[in-house]
Amino acid sequence: MSLRGQTAVVTGAVMGIGRAMVEILLQNDAKVALLDVNKSGGESLTEALGKQYGSQNVLFLDCDVESEEQFKAAFKRAVDAFGQIDIVFNNAGILNEATWEKTVSINLLGVIRGTYLALEHMNKTHGGRGGVIINTGSMAGLGPFSCCPVYTATKHGVVSFTRAMASASTVSGYGVRFNAVCPGFVQTDLFSNIPIRLGQYSHMADATAQLVKKMGVITPSQVAEAVLEMVTDETKNGEALMVMPKGKEYITFPNLISPNK
Ligand SMILES: NC(=O)c1ccc[n+]([C@@H]2O[C@H](COP(=O)([O-])OP(=O)(O)OC[C@H]3O[C@@H](n4cnc5c(N)ncnc54)[C@H](O)[C@@H]3O)[C@@H](O)[C@H]2O)c1
Ligand SMILES: CCCCC[C@H](O)/C=C/C=C\C=C\C=C\[C@@H](O)[C@@H](O)CCCC(=O)O
């Protein structure tokens, strides 16, 4: 399905899952604003993508999702450049139990901030034209992961915030769909130097490595394909899509109001 005429904003766009999402969006004719703290990497990537897909279709914006000022300015520059925002992928995230406050700030507060700033431009009740927001959770957002309790908390927060926003949007008439992607282990930079990233839980690195062997590892492109499905399927709202080597699966959550159903 072509995304021609649509504009996307991707955070954490320079590497890993975010970069794969940028490329699949461009392959499907969307215009893409790449937001990342990696300025040199972002500028060189955007130059290369511009040569392949047209410089008018890509824009790099130096943006730290921890900064309201930078994030707000980046959204405005994207709208100024492309006219509107239809798709947002709040993807920027880190794994570091030693710097757990920063992990919360980026992984959870950054997603909330990106969601609220996106709604300022997309919300139909505020003159926007609707669209879809995809937030990056994790398998660690669906079950407790003992080697990284704070990371687990941030990802559970992302999944639940996304599902709550999906309901709020429906009730409020925002015209914006919200979905979470929950990958297993993905071969990216975040998935390297794991003992250091585990901080006080580094003694669990061996057990974690065993879990990796059991669960397998997927590619960033496999995640991007899953995200694209939730972008293009307009029936998807409030979903959490698990992506594993064995395939994709939409999660069914317990009905807390009528638990027996
Ligand atoms: N790799 C995995 O196994 C895995 C699995 C499930 C979910 N995730 C999630 O996927 C997302 C992307 O992770 P990845 O594996 O591609 O990691 P990565 O480290 O390869 O890429 C992360 C990107 O985000 C950028 N970034 C970091 N902090 C930022 C900030 N404050 N503001 C803006 N950009 C920032 C980095 O510069 C980098 O380009 C994260 O939210 C991560 O938690 C990763
Ligand atoms: C150490 C690398 C972490 C990468 C983080 C990234 O988000 C990938 C996560 C991938 C899989 C997570 C699986 C979590 C499973 C838990 O719900 C639970 O089943 C694990 C049980 C064993 C344990 O160590 O807790």
Side-chain angles (χ1 to χ4, degrees), residues 95 138-140 143-147 151 184-185 190-191 194 208 211 215:
L95 167 62
S138 165
M139 277 280 286
F145 200 4
S146 56
C147 68
Y151 181 88
F185 298 110
L190 180 145
F191 186 57
I194 289 171
T208 303
L211 186 66
M215 296 179 68

Side-chain angles (χ1 to χ4, degrees), residues 79-147:
V79 172
D80 290 347
F82 295 138
Q84 83 278 331
I85 296 172
D86 306 287
I87 303 161
V88 173
F89 186 40
N90 286 307
N91 168 73
I94 66 171
L95 167 62
N96 193 323
E97 293 293 311
T99 58
W100 63 268
E101 293 98 332
K102 192 171 187 64
T103 299
V104 174
S105 178
I106 294 170
N107 293 15
L108 182 56
L109 304 191
V111 167
I112 297 169
R113 185 172 294 111
T115 296
Y116 284 172
L117 289 171
L119 280 175
E120 290 180 11
H121 299 279
M122 298 168 75
N123 185 343
K124 282 187 174 179
T125 64
H126 291 167
R129 68 181 206 175
V132 58
I133 297 175
I134 308 290
N135 296 325
T136 304
S138 165
M139 277 280 286
L142 301 172
F145 200 4
S146 56
C147 68

